Structures are given as C-alpha cells and as structure tokens.
Amino acid sequence: MKSVKLFLILIVNVGLIFGQSDFSFVFLPDIHLRPDSATEANFELLTKQINNLRPDFIVTGGDMIYTAINVDEKKAKVLFDFMESKLNELNMPVYYTIGNHEIVGVLAESGMEISHPLWGKGMYEKLYGKRYYSFTHFGWKFFLLDGIKILERERSYTQGVDSVQIEWLKNELLLTDINTPIYSFNTYSVAQSPPRH
C-alpha cells in the first residue's frame, strides 16, 4: 500500500513540473481480485486508503482478477462480477486496462474452444467495450493500450501492442495538440511524456 501512495505523489509532481492544473490519480496494477476472505480484507483496506486520498481517478494496470486464463467463461464471469463489485466501492472513476489474467480460457486446460465468442479477449470486450482507448483530464491525454498478444496455435500469450492499435494510436496522436502532455499505459509498461515541441 505504501507503493501506491508513493506512485501517487510522483504523478502529482509530474503534473506540477509541466505547469498543468493540479490533479492526482492512483495507478493500481496487479490487484488479482478473487472471491476469498484474505483478498477481500486486503482490498477493503486499500479501498479505504484510496477513498481517503480522494484522487481524481484510478487507472488499473491489468491483472485485475486472478485468473481467467485457465478457466471457462462461467468461472471467468464470477471473477469479473467480483472485480466489479469491489471496484465499485471506490468513490472515483476507474479506467480499466486489460492484462493477461483477463483473457479467458486461453490455456488448453480451460477446456474452451478458440472458436467460442468469449474466448481470449471476447468476454472482456463484451463486458467493458474497447480493449484500448483514450481520455483527457485537465489538459493531459491518457492512452490505455492492450499489451497482450494471444498466440492461438500455442494456446499461450506474449507481450506486445498489435498493429491495429498502432494505427489507431498514430491517428490519435495526429489529432492531439502538439502541446498536450500524454501518458500511455499498457499491461507491461507505463510511459509519460512532456509536451512535444
């Protein structure tokens, strides 16, 4: 929990350095929510701390649940429902980023067929919409990307941003004012940029 506080302080200082309006957010990666008493107790403490800090919003860093990669769609839905119930206890907007734990049934042990419409990223997209998107806040533009590439033949995954997202990102950047500072998140990295000159 101390690392979340530290990260929040660093984010606020970045905003001050680039002369933008003051705001704060929490980056919340790898929370691995699942319905068990220890997870619930720990997340309740974290929720209280974050709500007391009152950031403007939260960005998850993927791996919000533990884990859908080796289960079928019914078990995955239980995990997503639990995650939503817990994240709804936070008093500010939460922006989701997909991680490898949110891809459903990818491992062969799940018993799911690749042709199932909820396999892989299908369930995530059905529940939450696009797996990559942008939003703006106080003059900053935030890009949330999908950093997971599914290897269908191997029934596995690796890291990387696909070509569809790269094209979308190029177009988004062309439409973004050159003086707008940006933040980019994906499952494997976070990058921040001052205004481009």
Side-chain angles (χ1 to χ4, degrees), residues 2-190:
K2 288 182 181 176
S3 62
V4 172
K5 273 190 187 177
L6 176 62
F7 199 88
L8 175 67
I9 291 166
L10 292 174
I11 297 300
V12 171
N13 287 338
V14 168
L16 295 172
I17 287 168
F18 295 122
Q20 303 296 314
S21 299
D22 292 353
F23 71 92
S24 63
F25 69 93
V26 169
F27 180 58
L28 203 57
D30 298 299
I31 51 179
H32 291 180
L33 290 170
R34 62 182 173 189
D36 68 53
S37 57
T39 300
E40 287 196 66
N42 289 335
F43 196 74
E44 184 177 329
L45 291 171
L46 182 63
T47 298
K48 285 179 183 174
Q49 187 176 15
I50 292 172
N51 284 336
N52 285 337
L53 289 170
R54 297 182 184 161
D56 291 49
F57 58 89
I58 293 170
V59 174
T60 70
D63 294 352
M64 298 172 287
I65 61 173
Y66 190 80
T67 181
I69 197 164
N70 60 348
V71 299
D72 64 22
E73 73 280 6
K74 290 177 186 155
K75 291 178 181 172
K77 184 66 165 69
V78 169
L79 293 169
F80 282 118
D81 288 347
F82 180 75
M83 175 199 83
E84 284 186 50
S85 72
K86 294 290 115 188
L87 293 178
N88 282 336
E89 294 172 8
L90 294 160
N91 297 331
M92 64 286 306
V94 179
Y95 295 97
Y96 296 168
T97 308
I98 190 171
N100 63 295
H101 289 288
E102 285 79 47
I103 55 177
V104 178
V106 170
L107 301 184
E109 66 191 73
S110 70
M112 282 185 78
E113 295 295 327
I114 292 173
S115 59
H116 193 293
L118 300 179
W119 185 84
K121 299 173 185 179
M123 179 174 277
Y124 182 90
E125 290 179 302
K126 181 179 179 186
L127 293 173
Y128 309 112
K130 290 196 81 158
R131 56 191 174 84
Y132 57 92
Y133 57 99
S134 67
F135 68 93
T136 57
H137 188 78
F138 281 13
W140 285 73
K141 190 160 187 177
F142 294 82
F143 293 94
L144 282 68
L145 303 175
D146 170 8
I148 304 296
K149 285 187 174 182
I150 295 176
L151 307 172
E152 288 188 15
R153 194 168 34 139
E154 296 87 347
R155 296 292 301 250
S156 188
Y157 65 92
T158 188
Q159 66 180 4
V161 176
D162 61 45
S163 59
V164 173
Q165 289 179 86
I166 297 296
E167 284 305 308
W168 170 82
L169 189 56
K170 285 178 186 175
N171 290 329
E172 281 288 309
L173 289 171
L174 287 172
L175 296 172
T176 302
D177 186 281
I178 197 163
N179 295 311
T180 301
I182 61 173
Y183 243 97
S184 172
F185 298 87
N186 73 49
T187 307
Y188 285 96
S189 67
V190 177

